[in-house]
Short mmCIF file of all heavy atoms in Angstrom, two decimals:
data_model
loop_
_atom_site.label_atom_id
_atom_site.label_comp_id
_atom_site.label_asym_id
_atom_site.label_seq_id
_atom_site.Cartn_x
_atom_site.Cartn_y
_atom_site.Cartn_z
N ILE A 1364 -54.13 83.77 21.71
CA ILE A 1364 -52.70 83.61 21.96
C ILE A 1364 -52.46 83.60 23.47
O ILE A 1364 -52.90 84.49 24.18
CB ILE A 1364 -51.90 84.75 21.31
CG1 ILE A 1364 -51.95 84.62 19.78
CG2 ILE A 1364 -50.46 84.74 21.80
CD1 ILE A 1364 -51.22 83.41 19.25
N ASN A 1365 -51.76 82.58 23.94
CA ASN A 1365 -51.51 82.44 25.37
C ASN A 1365 -50.10 82.84 25.79
O ASN A 1365 -49.90 83.27 26.92
CB ASN A 1365 -51.77 81.01 25.82
CG ASN A 1365 -53.24 80.65 25.82
OD1 ASN A 1365 -54.09 81.47 26.17
ND2 ASN A 1365 -53.54 79.42 25.42
N ALA A 1366 -49.15 82.67 24.90
CA ALA A 1366 -47.78 82.98 25.24
C ALA A 1366 -47.12 83.78 24.12
O ALA A 1366 -47.32 83.49 22.94
CB ALA A 1366 -46.98 81.71 25.51
N MET A 1367 -46.34 84.76 24.50
CA MET A 1367 -45.59 85.55 23.54
C MET A 1367 -44.20 85.77 24.10
O MET A 1367 -44.02 85.85 25.31
CB MET A 1367 -46.27 86.90 23.27
CG MET A 1367 -47.67 86.77 22.71
SD MET A 1367 -48.43 88.38 22.31
CE MET A 1367 -47.51 88.82 20.82
N GLY A 1368 -43.24 85.86 23.20
CA GLY A 1368 -41.88 86.04 23.66
C GLY A 1368 -41.01 86.72 22.64
O GLY A 1368 -41.42 86.97 21.50
N TRP A 1369 -39.80 87.03 23.07
CA TRP A 1369 -38.80 87.63 22.22
C TRP A 1369 -37.58 86.74 22.14
O TRP A 1369 -37.08 86.25 23.17
CB TRP A 1369 -38.38 89.00 22.75
CG TRP A 1369 -39.43 90.06 22.61
CD1 TRP A 1369 -40.35 90.44 23.53
CD2 TRP A 1369 -39.65 90.88 21.46
NE1 TRP A 1369 -41.14 91.45 23.04
CE2 TRP A 1369 -40.73 91.74 21.77
CE3 TRP A 1369 -39.04 90.98 20.21
CZ2 TRP A 1369 -41.21 92.69 20.86
CZ3 TRP A 1369 -39.52 91.91 19.30
CH2 TRP A 1369 -40.59 92.75 19.63
N TYR A 1370 -37.11 86.52 20.93
CA TYR A 1370 -35.86 85.82 20.68
C TYR A 1370 -34.91 86.78 19.98
O TYR A 1370 -35.34 87.80 19.43
CB TYR A 1370 -36.09 84.60 19.79
CG TYR A 1370 -36.76 83.43 20.49
CD1 TYR A 1370 -38.11 83.48 20.82
CD2 TYR A 1370 -36.04 82.28 20.80
CE1 TYR A 1370 -38.73 82.41 21.45
CE2 TYR A 1370 -36.65 81.20 21.42
CZ TYR A 1370 -37.99 81.28 21.74
OH TYR A 1370 -38.60 80.20 22.37
N ARG A 1371 -33.64 86.46 20.00
CA ARG A 1371 -32.68 87.26 19.26
C ARG A 1371 -31.63 86.36 18.64
O ARG A 1371 -31.35 85.28 19.12
CB ARG A 1371 -32.03 88.32 20.14
CG ARG A 1371 -31.10 87.77 21.23
CD ARG A 1371 -30.59 88.89 22.11
NE ARG A 1371 -29.70 88.42 23.15
CZ ARG A 1371 -29.22 89.18 24.12
NH1 ARG A 1371 -29.56 90.48 24.19
NH2 ARG A 1371 -28.40 88.67 25.04
N GLN A 1372 -31.06 86.84 17.54
CA GLN A 1372 -30.03 86.09 16.86
C GLN A 1372 -28.97 87.04 16.33
O GLN A 1372 -29.26 87.95 15.55
CB GLN A 1372 -30.61 85.27 15.71
CG GLN A 1372 -29.62 84.35 15.04
CD GLN A 1372 -30.29 83.35 14.12
OE1 GLN A 1372 -31.38 83.59 13.62
NE2 GLN A 1372 -29.64 82.21 13.91
N ALA A 1373 -27.74 86.83 16.77
CA ALA A 1373 -26.61 87.60 16.29
C ALA A 1373 -25.93 86.81 15.17
O ALA A 1373 -26.06 85.59 15.10
CB ALA A 1373 -25.63 87.86 17.44
N PRO A 1374 -25.20 87.49 14.30
CA PRO A 1374 -24.52 86.80 13.19
C PRO A 1374 -23.62 85.68 13.69
O PRO A 1374 -22.82 85.87 14.60
CB PRO A 1374 -23.71 87.92 12.54
CG PRO A 1374 -24.47 89.16 12.83
CD PRO A 1374 -25.00 88.95 14.23
N GLY A 1375 -23.77 84.50 13.10
CA GLY A 1375 -22.95 83.36 13.47
C GLY A 1375 -23.35 82.67 14.75
O GLY A 1375 -22.67 81.73 15.18
N LYS A 1376 -24.44 83.09 15.36
CA LYS A 1376 -24.89 82.48 16.60
C LYS A 1376 -26.31 81.95 16.46
O LYS A 1376 -27.05 82.34 15.56
CB LYS A 1376 -24.83 83.49 17.75
CG LYS A 1376 -23.42 83.99 18.05
CD LYS A 1376 -23.41 84.92 19.24
CE LYS A 1376 -22.01 85.39 19.56
NZ LYS A 1376 -21.99 86.30 20.74
N GLN A 1377 -26.67 81.03 17.36
CA GLN A 1377 -28.01 80.46 17.35
C GLN A 1377 -29.03 81.44 17.91
O GLN A 1377 -28.71 82.30 18.72
CB GLN A 1377 -28.04 79.16 18.16
CG GLN A 1377 -27.23 78.03 17.56
CD GLN A 1377 -27.41 76.74 18.33
OE1 GLN A 1377 -27.60 76.75 19.55
NE2 GLN A 1377 -27.36 75.62 17.63
N ARG A 1378 -30.26 81.28 17.45
CA ARG A 1378 -31.33 82.10 17.99
C ARG A 1378 -31.60 81.68 19.44
O ARG A 1378 -31.68 80.49 19.74
CB ARG A 1378 -32.60 81.93 17.14
CG ARG A 1378 -33.73 82.88 17.51
CD ARG A 1378 -34.87 82.79 16.50
NE ARG A 1378 -34.45 83.15 15.16
CZ ARG A 1378 -35.27 83.25 14.11
NH1 ARG A 1378 -36.56 83.03 14.27
NH2 ARG A 1378 -34.78 83.57 12.92
N GLU A 1379 -31.72 82.65 20.32
CA GLU A 1379 -31.91 82.36 21.73
C GLU A 1379 -33.10 83.11 22.31
O GLU A 1379 -33.45 84.20 21.85
CB GLU A 1379 -30.65 82.73 22.53
CG GLU A 1379 -30.33 84.22 22.52
CD GLU A 1379 -29.18 84.59 23.43
OE1 GLU A 1379 -28.74 83.75 24.23
OE2 GLU A 1379 -28.70 85.74 23.33
N LEU A 1380 -33.70 82.51 23.30
CA LEU A 1380 -34.82 83.15 24.00
C LEU A 1380 -34.29 84.30 24.84
O LEU A 1380 -33.34 84.14 25.60
CB LEU A 1380 -35.55 82.14 24.89
CG LEU A 1380 -36.67 82.71 25.76
CD1 LEU A 1380 -37.84 83.18 24.89
CD2 LEU A 1380 -37.14 81.67 26.76
N VAL A 1381 -34.93 85.45 24.72
CA VAL A 1381 -34.58 86.62 25.51
C VAL A 1381 -35.54 86.76 26.68
O VAL A 1381 -35.13 86.91 27.83
CB VAL A 1381 -34.60 87.90 24.66
CG1 VAL A 1381 -34.32 89.13 25.53
CG2 VAL A 1381 -33.60 87.80 23.52
N ALA A 1382 -36.83 86.73 26.39
CA ALA A 1382 -37.85 86.86 27.41
C ALA A 1382 -39.17 86.33 26.88
O ALA A 1382 -39.42 86.37 25.68
CB ALA A 1382 -38.00 88.32 27.86
N ALA A 1383 -40.02 85.86 27.78
CA ALA A 1383 -41.33 85.35 27.39
C ALA A 1383 -42.34 85.64 28.48
O ALA A 1383 -41.97 85.79 29.65
CB ALA A 1383 -41.27 83.85 27.11
N ILE A 1384 -43.61 85.70 28.10
CA ILE A 1384 -44.67 85.95 29.05
C ILE A 1384 -45.90 85.15 28.66
O ILE A 1384 -46.23 85.03 27.48
CB ILE A 1384 -44.99 87.46 29.15
CG1 ILE A 1384 -46.00 87.74 30.26
CG2 ILE A 1384 -45.48 88.00 27.81
CD1 ILE A 1384 -46.14 89.22 30.60
N THR A 1385 -46.59 84.57 29.65
CA THR A 1385 -47.79 83.79 29.40
C THR A 1385 -49.04 84.62 29.66
O THR A 1385 -48.97 85.74 30.16
CB THR A 1385 -47.83 82.55 30.31
OG1 THR A 1385 -48.00 82.97 31.67
CG2 THR A 1385 -46.54 81.73 30.19
N ARG A 1386 -50.20 84.04 29.31
CA ARG A 1386 -51.47 84.71 29.57
C ARG A 1386 -51.64 84.98 31.06
O ARG A 1386 -52.21 86.01 31.44
CB ARG A 1386 -52.62 83.84 29.06
CG ARG A 1386 -54.01 84.43 29.30
CD ARG A 1386 -54.31 85.56 28.36
NE ARG A 1386 -54.52 85.08 26.99
CZ ARG A 1386 -54.85 85.86 25.97
NH1 ARG A 1386 -55.00 87.16 26.16
NH2 ARG A 1386 -55.02 85.33 24.76
N GLY A 1387 -51.14 84.08 31.89
CA GLY A 1387 -51.25 84.24 33.33
C GLY A 1387 -50.24 85.21 33.93
O GLY A 1387 -50.28 85.46 35.13
N GLY A 1388 -49.36 85.74 33.11
CA GLY A 1388 -48.40 86.72 33.59
C GLY A 1388 -47.06 86.17 34.02
O GLY A 1388 -46.21 86.93 34.49
N THR A 1389 -46.86 84.87 33.87
CA THR A 1389 -45.57 84.29 34.22
C THR A 1389 -44.52 84.72 33.21
O THR A 1389 -44.75 84.65 32.00
CB THR A 1389 -45.66 82.75 34.24
OG1 THR A 1389 -46.65 82.34 35.19
CG2 THR A 1389 -44.32 82.14 34.61
N THR A 1390 -43.39 85.16 33.69
CA THR A 1390 -42.32 85.63 32.81
C THR A 1390 -41.08 84.77 32.93
O THR A 1390 -40.86 84.10 33.94
CB THR A 1390 -41.96 87.09 33.12
OG1 THR A 1390 -41.57 87.21 34.49
CG2 THR A 1390 -43.14 88.01 32.86
N LYS A 1391 -40.29 84.82 31.88
CA LYS A 1391 -39.03 84.09 31.85
C LYS A 1391 -38.01 84.97 31.14
O LYS A 1391 -38.33 85.59 30.13
CB LYS A 1391 -39.19 82.76 31.10
CG LYS A 1391 -37.92 81.93 30.98
CD LYS A 1391 -38.19 80.65 30.21
CE LYS A 1391 -36.92 79.83 30.02
NZ LYS A 1391 -36.41 79.34 31.33
N TYR A 1392 -36.80 85.02 31.67
CA TYR A 1392 -35.75 85.84 31.09
C TYR A 1392 -34.46 85.06 30.96
O TYR A 1392 -34.15 84.20 31.79
CB TYR A 1392 -35.46 87.07 31.96
CG TYR A 1392 -36.60 88.05 32.06
CD1 TYR A 1392 -37.50 87.99 33.11
CD2 TYR A 1392 -36.77 89.05 31.10
CE1 TYR A 1392 -38.55 88.90 33.22
CE2 TYR A 1392 -37.81 89.96 31.19
CZ TYR A 1392 -38.70 89.87 32.25
OH TYR A 1392 -39.73 90.78 32.35
N ALA A 1393 -33.72 85.37 29.91
CA ALA A 1393 -32.37 84.84 29.80
C ALA A 1393 -31.51 85.47 30.89
O ALA A 1393 -31.71 86.63 31.26
CB ALA A 1393 -31.79 85.15 28.43
N ASP A 1394 -30.56 84.70 31.41
CA ASP A 1394 -29.70 85.22 32.46
C ASP A 1394 -28.97 86.49 32.04
O ASP A 1394 -28.73 87.39 32.86
CB ASP A 1394 -28.67 84.16 32.86
CG ASP A 1394 -29.30 83.00 33.61
OD1 ASP A 1394 -30.42 83.13 34.12
OD2 ASP A 1394 -28.65 81.93 33.68
N SER A 1395 -28.65 86.59 30.77
CA SER A 1395 -27.88 87.73 30.28
C SER A 1395 -28.65 89.04 30.28
O SER A 1395 -28.05 90.11 30.21
CB SER A 1395 -27.37 87.44 28.86
OG SER A 1395 -28.45 87.19 27.98
N VAL A 1396 -29.98 88.97 30.36
CA VAL A 1396 -30.79 90.19 30.33
C VAL A 1396 -31.57 90.42 31.61
O VAL A 1396 -32.22 91.46 31.77
CB VAL A 1396 -31.77 90.20 29.13
CG1 VAL A 1396 -31.01 89.94 27.83
CG2 VAL A 1396 -32.87 89.16 29.32
N LEU A 1397 -31.51 89.47 32.52
CA LEU A 1397 -32.26 89.57 33.77
C LEU A 1397 -31.88 90.83 34.53
O LEU A 1397 -30.71 91.11 34.75
CB LEU A 1397 -32.00 88.33 34.63
CG LEU A 1397 -32.87 88.16 35.88
CD1 LEU A 1397 -34.32 87.97 35.49
CD2 LEU A 1397 -32.38 86.97 36.70
N GLY A 1398 -32.88 91.60 34.92
CA GLY A 1398 -32.64 92.84 35.63
C GLY A 1398 -32.49 94.05 34.73
O GLY A 1398 -32.53 95.19 35.21
N ARG A 1399 -32.33 93.82 33.44
CA ARG A 1399 -32.16 94.92 32.49
C ARG A 1399 -33.35 95.04 31.52
O ARG A 1399 -33.71 96.14 31.12
CB ARG A 1399 -30.88 94.74 31.67
CG ARG A 1399 -29.61 94.74 32.51
CD ARG A 1399 -28.37 94.76 31.63
NE ARG A 1399 -28.27 93.58 30.77
CZ ARG A 1399 -28.27 93.60 29.44
NH1 ARG A 1399 -28.35 94.77 28.80
NH2 ARG A 1399 -28.15 92.48 28.75
N PHE A 1400 -33.92 93.90 31.15
CA PHE A 1400 -35.04 93.88 30.21
C PHE A 1400 -36.33 93.54 30.94
O PHE A 1400 -36.33 92.76 31.90
CB PHE A 1400 -34.82 92.82 29.12
CG PHE A 1400 -33.70 93.12 28.15
CD1 PHE A 1400 -32.81 94.16 28.37
CD2 PHE A 1400 -33.55 92.34 27.02
CE1 PHE A 1400 -31.78 94.43 27.47
CE2 PHE A 1400 -32.53 92.59 26.12
CZ PHE A 1400 -31.65 93.63 26.35
N THR A 1401 -37.44 94.06 30.45
CA THR A 1401 -38.75 93.77 31.01
C THR A 1401 -39.73 93.47 29.89
O THR A 1401 -39.86 94.26 28.95
CB THR A 1401 -39.28 94.93 31.85
OG1 THR A 1401 -38.37 95.22 32.92
CG2 THR A 1401 -40.64 94.57 32.45
N ILE A 1402 -40.41 92.34 29.97
CA ILE A 1402 -41.41 91.98 28.98
C ILE A 1402 -42.80 92.22 29.54
O ILE A 1402 -43.06 92.00 30.72
CB ILE A 1402 -41.25 90.51 28.52
CG1 ILE A 1402 -42.16 90.21 27.33
CG2 ILE A 1402 -41.52 89.55 29.67
CD1 ILE A 1402 -41.90 88.86 26.67
N SER A 1403 -43.70 92.70 28.69
CA SER A 1403 -45.09 92.92 29.08
C SER A 1403 -45.97 92.68 27.85
O SER A 1403 -45.49 92.67 26.72
CB SER A 1403 -45.29 94.33 29.64
OG SER A 1403 -44.97 95.31 28.67
N ARG A 1404 -47.26 92.50 28.08
CA ARG A 1404 -48.18 92.27 26.96
C ARG A 1404 -49.53 92.90 27.21
O ARG A 1404 -49.91 93.18 28.35
CB ARG A 1404 -48.34 90.76 26.70
CG ARG A 1404 -49.04 90.00 27.82
CD ARG A 1404 -49.13 88.52 27.50
NE ARG A 1404 -49.99 88.26 26.34
CZ ARG A 1404 -50.15 87.08 25.76
NH1 ARG A 1404 -49.48 86.02 26.23
NH2 ARG A 1404 -50.96 86.94 24.72
N ASP A 1405 -50.24 93.12 26.11
CA ASP A 1405 -51.56 93.73 26.14
C ASP A 1405 -52.58 92.70 25.69
O ASP A 1405 -53.13 92.81 24.59
CB ASP A 1405 -51.58 94.97 25.26
CG ASP A 1405 -52.92 95.67 25.26
OD1 ASP A 1405 -53.75 95.39 26.15
OD2 ASP A 1405 -53.15 96.51 24.38
N SER A 1406 -52.81 91.67 26.50
CA SER A 1406 -53.82 90.65 26.26
C SER A 1406 -53.82 90.11 24.84
O SER A 1406 -54.83 90.11 24.15
CB SER A 1406 -55.22 91.19 26.62
OG SER A 1406 -55.29 91.57 27.97
N ALA A 1407 -52.66 89.66 24.39
CA ALA A 1407 -52.46 89.03 23.09
C ALA A 1407 -52.50 90.00 21.91
O ALA A 1407 -52.35 89.57 20.76
CB ALA A 1407 -53.46 87.90 22.87
#
């Protein structure tokens, strides 16, 4: 597994990306959670 992430879905809304991380450690965050949430992984 090279990439893992978290999505969320509230009632009546579309599923959205919250945060993701690659094998190389690159991270991505939704603007709404940036600075508040942190994603990490243990080698897949």
Side-chain angles (χ1 to χ4, degrees):
I1364 291 293
N1365 289 321
M1367 300 183 73
W1369 290 94
Y1370 286 72
R1371 68 184 181 187
Q1372 186 167 25
K1376 298 183 179 180
Q1377 294 185 327
R1378 188 172 299 185
E1379 64 174 349
L1380 176 67
V1381 177
I1384 186 168
T1385 68
R1386 179 75 71 177
T1389 301
T1390 58
K1391 179 181 178 65
Y1392 295 94
D1394 290 342
S1395 59
V1396 307
L1397 189 64
R1399 299 188 298 118
F1400 292 10
T1401 301
I1402 189 170
S1403 61
R1404 67 181 294 173
D1405 181 15
S1406 300

